[in-house]
């Protein structure tokens, strides 16, 4: 069910007045920025890539984090962590990610 534009979508989901086949996750992937991306202000080097995801399950959320990361110049080279979290945006008709963030770090 696409709940974009629906008023009180969180309450409707919580109390069963609206249904979705998707679950909400936050992913955190350890990896490497391979290609600079001006839209995300990234530079090559090690980074964490975080993203909020509406997906069928945790495995799909991990796959989405790696695929979307690859599309924007990031390679998942370390662990990918998945957490069940409260959504900030409503689910749509398809799995999707939003609120993409990169945090660079220095290797010791």
């Amino acid at each position: 069910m696409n709940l974009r534009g629906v008023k009180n979508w969180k309450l409707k989901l919580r109390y069963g007045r609206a249904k979705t086949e998707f679950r909400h996750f936050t992913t955190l992937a350890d990896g490497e920025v391979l290609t600079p991306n001006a839209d995300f202000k990234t530079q090559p080097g090690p980074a964490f890539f975080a993203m909020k995801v509406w997906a069928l399950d945790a495995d799909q959320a991990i796959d989405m984090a790696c695929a979307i990361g690859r599309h924007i110049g990031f390679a998942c080279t370390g662990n990918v962590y998945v957490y069940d979290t409260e959504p900030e945006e409503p689910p749509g008709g398809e799995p999707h990610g939003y609120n993409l963030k990169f945090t660079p770090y220095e290797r010791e």
Side-chain angles (χ1 to χ4, degrees):
M1 168 179 262
N2 188 342
L3 295 174
R4 293 184 188 276
V6 174
K7 188 175 179 180
N8 298 323
W9 61 269
K10 279 187 183 183
L11 291 174
K12 290 181 190 285
L13 279 175
R14 183 175 295 139
Y15 295 110
R17 293 192 177 169
K19 302 234 185 261
T20 181
E21 61 186 312
F22 305 117
R23 292 175 45 204
H24 192 270
F25 302 96
T26 298
T27 61
L28 180 61
D30 186 7
E32 192 86 22
V33 173
L34 302 174
T35 307
N37 187 312
D39 292 336
F40 296 101
K41 300 180 178 116
T42 59
Q43 294 298 318
F48 288 104
F49 170 47
M51 179 175 70
K52 303 207 183 282
V53 179
W54 280 104
L56 293 172
D57 55 32
D59 289 335
Q60 185 180 46
I62 291 169
D63 292 345
M64 289 171 63
C66 292
I68 291 170
R70 232 182 350 265
H71 182 71
I72 55 179
F74 178 82
C76 295
T77 58
N79 292 327
V80 179
Y81 302 94
V82 181
Y83 304 93
D84 279 298
T85 55
E86 286 293 317
E88 294 175 12
E89 292 186 7
E94 298 289 328
H96 72 279
Y98 65 97
N99 202 17
L100 286 64
K101 293 184 182 176
F102 290 88
T103 304
Y105 66 90
E106 297 287 326
R107 286 201 178 99
E108 295 181 357

